[in-house]
Amino acid sequence: MKNLLVLTFLVIGLSGCSGIRQTDATFDAHAENVNVLFMQFPGGDTQERAMELTPKNSEIVTIKSTVSDTSSVLGVLNRIIGVDQTKIAGIIKQ
């Protein structure tokens, strides 16, 4: 039981992250939260975290986010157990 609890916290801690992939002309930023019983790990708004990673001289082309509100069935199910994810893609101006 103790090992299962440690493994659970390890997976939750490692799975919520953010990052960016960038070339000379394009970028793709992402941020994730893990949801367990309406608690978010690592917490915070995924869109804000992904926006902080976008390059200064860039133009955003697309923003995609998973449903995380409580006004829909999918949003509630995602908040009980699921993953919030935001992806931002765009081009870098020269």
Side-chain angles (χ1 to χ4, degrees):
M1 180 67 180
K2 186 177 178 181
N3 290 338
L4 182 61
L5 187 62
V6 170
L7 181 63
T8 301
F9 283 115
L10 182 65
V11 168
I12 288 171
L14 293 176
S15 58
C17 66
S18 56
I20 185 169
R21 293 187 68 173
Q22 182 175 340
T23 65
D24 292 338
T26 63
F27 72 94
D28 182 19
H30 65 91
E32 294 88 13
N33 279 340
V34 175
N35 299 321
V36 179
L37 300 177
F38 290 89
M39 295 182 294
Q40 294 182 317
F41 302 98
D45 185 18
T46 56
Q47 187 169 349
E48 287 179 11
R49 290 195 347 248
M51 288 294 286
E52 290 173 358
L53 297 173
T54 59
K56 299 286 184 221
N57 57 340
S58 63
E59 178 182 337
I60 296 173
V61 176
T62 60
I63 299 176
K64 291 176 64 176
S65 294
T66 57
V67 180
S68 64
D69 62 348
T70 56
S71 62
S72 67
V73 173
L74 289 177
V76 171
L77 292 175
N78 188 32
R79 293 298 296 270
I80 292 172
I81 187 160
V83 175
D84 286 345
Q85 182 179 37
T86 297
K87 290 185 180 183
I88 299 174
I91 56 173
I92 299 173
K93 298 177 183 177
Q94 300 299 328

